[in-house]
Amino acid sequence: KMTIANVNRRVFLASTAAVAGSLILGITLSACSQEEGASSAPAAAFNAFLTIARDGTITIQVPNSEMGQGVFTALPMILADELDADWGRVVAETAPADPAYGFRTGRGGQTTGGSHSVVGWYGPLREMGAAARHMLREAAADIWKVEASACVTEKSLVSHKASGRSLGYGTLAVLAAKRKIPENPTLKKVEDFTLIGHPLPRRDTPSKVDGTAVYGIDVKRPGMLIATAKVSPIFGGVVKSHNDKAALALPGVRAVVPVPAGVVVVADSYWQAHMAAEQLDIIFTPGPNGGVTSDNISAALHQGLEEDGLVALNKGDARAEIDHGTGQTLSAIYETPYLAHSCMEPMSCTAEVTADSCHIWAPTQSPGAARALAAKICGLPLDKVRVEVTFLGGGFGRRGETDFVEQAVLASKALRRPVKLIWSREEDIAHDFYRPASVTRLRAAFGKDGTALAFDCRLVAPSILARVAHFPKSMLDNAAVDGLSDQPYGFRNARVDYVRRDLGIPVGWWRSVGQSQNAFVRESFIDELAHMRDEDPFALRRRLLGADMRHIGTLDLVAEKSGWHNPPEPGRARGVALVKSFGSYVAQVVEISRTGDNAVKIHKVTCAVDCGTVINPSIVEAQIQSAVIYGLTAAVDGEITIKDGAVEQSNFHDYPALKIANIPEINVHLVPSAEPPAGIGEPGLPPLAPALANAIFALTGKRLRSLPFSRAGMEVT
């Protein structure tokens, strides 16, 4: 059940502390600008993360969006462990949009992406838990007139062992709330963790199983109408004219509302809105991209190989060594396509706009951006806009955009009714922000003694940051060259440059971003170099890694667990790839067999992962498995093609998702580590495509230099 409370959050929390007897612990955000109604105290804002009620219930606000990656469990585990909380009494809630929930993540706003949730909040949440534990212990010590150092905490109890007395956190909450929050609380030692490192069941699973979980598509409001969008199929196109007479004559249809590049049809039900959208007599002006096709996109990318780009890495003189040296040299060109996100839940958002407020329920990765956009559209101050984040039926970067939020707010503003917008699958695939297409040329040289002399790479691709942050052409998009400019292998000379090509197709963050293309390119090319030298691909990688022990440890573990050093079964072959991304090291070995002249079967994928301190091993395992499946879908069949400025694909029949019957055995092995946590939602994806391509070469002798593999007629099951 959802209700609206038009109460300032700060006032609500303060009254809760005073009246309901809850301990409320937050962080002082001196760098945040003060909002209207903020306290005149030195701190600019006080935003709650933790409440402890009289009955002992511990509520933890989760500052990131839950889109299947497990933050609804992992983040509360971090705070609860330092708090010495009884995990059975912990309740997780998704925090609403508020600048405070993005301040300590280092990302400049309340967003979920870049595999940054645990990375960004590990330290702050531990500090908050430790501070609350300290305050509770001191409150109990005051009651018993003993030293706080003589008191211990465990499972939501403070105990004085000498006397055998104990008090629950709920009983102590009011007194503890009056104490000063310690600035530098003592954190637990790693060996004292009781929750972190354990495979606790996920908190969001039961509601997702029994159907009570609320996704964006599930939101219900009194008097709510349903809408769907119809936007120009050609990128950059605009509405020239539309006749909505036939659509409005259909049963249940309430309005046709103009939105950027199209319209939103509002009705009593989704099917009524969908059918009315099909009846619209609408003419679009194509704009500058009407003649764009996949062929001329590819040609433009290949042409960029002949241009000088922005230099991302320049060590020594790689080009001279390759062009004029006497060692072994190799050159190859790789190509990757545009990809859609194809989230299982299409874009959706519910908005309720009144004369003096706006309330949004959205499966969004960027609630702060959604809030700011809604305030601008409605002409309201920010504190009159509330954004509640539902569960996300997949995000992968797509739901960091705000186009679907804009459409819902415009529709509700026009009708002054709650409106839930739901895109069709066809609209979702046709109006994405796509993973960029790319063309990459790589060259390398080895000396006669096997020394890695030179590595030279030129990448040609659109820039995501150019769209998002309006980068000038003189500024390097480091995300575009991720995995190339920081490649780990010890070439004496190395050069990487980037030629930006903006081609009229909207591009955006896609799971693992630049690494999703660049790891395929780099790790396939390293495999080519190994075969050129008649050297084992594992052995070459290990040799070129020098003393990089985290890379080496991950590579050694995957070799051990996959049986790399033992011959595969007759008729089978293996491929290996190693990628560091988002701070995590992941190595994968794919084992396949041939089922036809151009068909192979994947038997298993073995993964080794070093992601630093592991919060919940089962979540890490699930995320790696998820990334392998998502990456396998893209590698085998994933391709968005363009004709006359529009996407040719429309649904899962021509932009397929991997079926459960085709998912191979996926084994995940974790490297023990005391390093700080690193990202895990994305790093499992980049090694998959090159490991599979390398296995295909080992089995068939066919080198695949473009994605998807279906381009070359290769069938993978």
Side-chain angles (χ1 to χ4, degrees):
K1 183 179 179 181
M2 294 189 178
T3 57
I4 300 176
N6 291 316
V7 179
N8 179 282
R9 180 174 176 77
R10 195 172 293 102
V11 173
F12 169 76
L13 292 172
S15 64
T16 303
V19 179
S22 294
L23 166 64
I24 298 178
L25 185 70
I27 41 182
T28 299
L29 305 171
S30 58
C32 282
S33 58
Q34 276 194 316
E35 297 179 12
E36 183 180 342
S39 169
S40 58
F46 191 81
N47 297 279
F49 282 76
L50 168 69
T51 66
I52 303 176
R54 286 184 182 275
D55 66 359
T57 299
I58 297 169
T59 302
I60 297 173
Q61 297 292 322
V62 179
N64 294 104
S65 305
E66 176 58 76
M67 51 188 176
Q69 82 280 38
V71 293
F72 213 61
T73 303
L75 295 184
M77 282 178 66
I78 296 168
L79 194 157
D81 201 323
E82 281 289 351
L83 181 62
D84 276 334
D86 178 352
W87 183 244
R89 305 302 301 275
V90 173
V91 175
E93 291 182 353
T94 301
D98 190 296
Y101 293 114
F103 180 72
R104 299 281 297 267
T105 67
R107 296 187 64 83
Q110 188 180 357
T111 61
T112 302
S115 297
H116 199 78
S117 298
V118 167
V119 176
W121 286 109
Y122 180 69
L125 289 174
R126 286 190 66 189
E127 291 171 9
M128 282 185 266
R133 169 166 47 85
H134 176 83
M135 296 161 72
L136 289 158
R137 190 176 62 183
E138 286 197 333
D142 279 354
I143 293 173
W144 296 325
K145 307 302 181 187
V146 300
E147 293 293 327
S149 60
C151 301
V152 296
T153 53
E154 183 181 18
K155 289 191 173 182
S156 294
L157 287 174
V158 180
S159 301
H160 183 243
K161 289 195 173 182
S163 63
R165 290 173 292 184
S166 63
L167 288 170
Y169 284 2
T171 303
L172 294 166
V174 173
L175 286 174
K178 296 177 181 178
R179 307 196 69 86
K180 181 181 178 181
I181 299 173
E183 292 185 4
N184 297 297
T186 301
L187 302 180
K188 280 185 173 184
K189 296 179 180 178
V190 172
E191 56 266 28
D192 294 330
F193 287 156
T194 58
L195 300 176
I196 293 173
H198 294 273
L200 302 182
R202 285 178 55 152
R203 284 299 172 87
D204 51 333
T205 299
S207 65
K208 290 177 178 178
V209 171
D210 66 22
T212 58
V214 176
Y215 290 83
I217 208 167
D218 298 321
V219 174
K220 295 180 180 179
R221 300 294 305 150
M224 184 177 72
L225 299 172
I226 311 296
T228 197
K230 192 173 184 66
V231 176
S232 170
I234 299 172
F235 298 114
V238 296
V239 176
K240 180 179 180 180
S241 65
H242 76 275
N243 185 338
D244 55 17
K245 184 176 181 180
L248 291 171
L250 294 175
V253 178
R254 301 300 186 100
V256 176
V257 180
V259 297
V263 298
V264 165
V265 181
V266 186
D268 293 335
S269 72
Y270 173 77
W271 188 244
Q272 289 172 330
H274 178 77
M275 294 301 293
E278 296 300 308
Q279 294 296 314
L280 280 173
D281 181 10
I282 185 166
I283 299 174
F284 296 101
T285 298
N289 300 314
V292 174
T293 68
S294 289
D295 286 344
N296 56 39
I297 286 172
S298 179
L301 293 173
H302 279 272
Q303 184 182 18
L305 294 176
E306 306 308 315
E307 302 175 17
D308 289 328
L310 297 174
V311 177
L313 172 67
N314 193 17
K315 181 178 70 171
D317 195 338
R319 292 178 179 175
E321 189 68 57
I322 294 169
D323 292 337
H324 306 299
T326 59
Q328 291 176 295
T329 62
L330 181 68
S331 177
I333 295 175
Y334 283 78
E335 186 166 4
T336 66
Y338 290 106
L339 291 176
H341 295 82
S342 62
C343 304
M344 193 53 64
E345 177 190 19
M347 297 303 105
S348 62
C349 176
T350 300
E352 188 167 347
V353 179
T354 67
D356 56 5
S357 70
C358 177
H359 199 155
I360 293 169
W361 296 262
T364 174
Q365 292 175 242
S366 298
R371 187 186 189 203
L373 177 63
K376 182 178 180 181
I377 292 171
C378 299
L380 294 170
L382 202 60
D383 63 353
K384 296 298 182 181
V385 179
R386 182 172 176 82
V387 177
E388 295 192 41
V389 182
T390 65
F391 284 148
L392 283 62
F396 315 119
R398 175 60 179 94
R399 285 190 159 92
E401 308 292 345
T402 55
D403 50 340
F404 55 99
V405 175
E406 179 181 29
Q407 292 174 352
V409 171
L410 286 170
S412 179
K413 180 184 177 185
L415 276 73
R416 286 292 191 257
R417 293 273 299 272
V419 174
K420 177 164 66 177
L421 173 79
I422 304 172
W423 283 15
S424 67
R425 176 64 58 193
E426 290 76 10
E427 196 76 11
D428 191 85
I429 289 179
H431 295 98
D432 206 334
F433 291 84
Y434 304 91
R435 197 280 304 271
S438 72
V439 167
T440 309
R441 183 181 63 210
L442 303 103
R443 303 190 303 159
F446 277 77
K448 293 178 181 179
D449 61 352
T451 302
L453 296 176
F455 176 85
D456 178 36
C457 172
R458 173 166 291 164
L459 167 68
V460 187
S463 167
I464 298 170
L465 284 175
R467 179 188 69 83
V468 175
H470 309 293
F471 267 31
K473 288 203 171 183
S474 60
M475 188 175 293
L476 176 68
D477 182 347
N478 284 303
V481 295
D482 193 15
L484 296 173
S485 60
D486 58 348
Q487 61 88 18
Y489 302 112
F491 290 91
R492 287 185 181 177
N493 304 275
R495 181 183 176 93
V496 175
D497 65 6
Y498 168 61
V499 177
R500 174 174 146 190
R501 273 286 185 271
D502 298 321
L503 301 165
I505 310 302
V507 293
W509 316 113
W510 192 89
R511 192 173 188 173
S512 77
V513 199
Q515 287 278 9
S516 69
Q517 304 113 300
N518 298 340
F520 164 66
V521 169
R522 187 194 80 202
E523 289 297 296
S524 296
F525 188 62
I526 293 294
D527 199 75
E528 290 202 56
L529 293 173
H531 286 281
M532 177 191 75
R533 290 193 37 75
D534 197 24
E535 194 168 349
D536 178 83
F538 164 85
L540 177 65
R541 285 176 171 81
R542 204 179 192 285
R543 178 166 71 83
L544 296 184
L545 288 170
D548 190 337
M549 298 313 298
R550 292 188 75 180
H551 267 113
I552 289 172
T554 308
L555 187 63
D556 283 349
L557 182 61
V558 83
E560 173 196 341
K561 296 300 183 181
S562 66
W564 180 270
H565 299 302
N566 301 316
E569 294 180 21
R572 294 193 182 188
R574 303 186 187 112
V576 63
L578 172 67
V579 181
K580 178 189 177 185
S581 62
F582 305 94
S584 288
Y585 303 74
V586 180
Q588 292 176 358
V589 170
V590 175
E591 185 168 322
I592 64 172
S593 66
R594 192 193 293 250
T595 57
D597 289 342
N598 286 299
V600 299
K601 175 180 175 62
I602 303 176
H603 294 278
K604 62 180 177 180
V605 180
T606 305
C607 310
V609 182
D610 178 354
C611 59
T613 297
V614 174
I615 307 303
N616 187 316
S618 64
I619 290 177
V620 172
E621 180 180 15
Q623 280 303 289
I624 295 295
Q625 291 171 335
S626 165
V628 166
I629 293 168
Y630 199 71
L632 184 56
T633 294
V636 174
D637 290 310
E639 182 174 24
I640 289 294
T641 57
I642 308 297
K643 182 179 180 180
D644 298 330
V647 170
E648 292 188 281
Q649 289 70 31
S650 63
N651 210 312
F652 288 127
H653 70 285
D654 54 8
Y655 193 76
L658 192 69
K659 296 180 174 61
I660 193 169
N662 299 122
I663 296 174
E665 176 185 344
I666 305 171
N667 300 310
V668 181
H669 306 276
L670 304 181
V671 177
S673 176
E675 296 290 333
I680 204 61
E682 295 165 281
L685 188 149
L688 187 281
L692 176 56
N694 297 339
I696 290 172
F697 178 81
L699 183 67
T700 69
K702 186 173 185 177
R703 179 63 66 182
L704 301 176
R705 289 176 173 162
S706 66
L707 293 175
F709 299 147
S710 57
R711 274 188 184 182
M714 181 63 66
E715 180 183 351
V716 181
T717 60

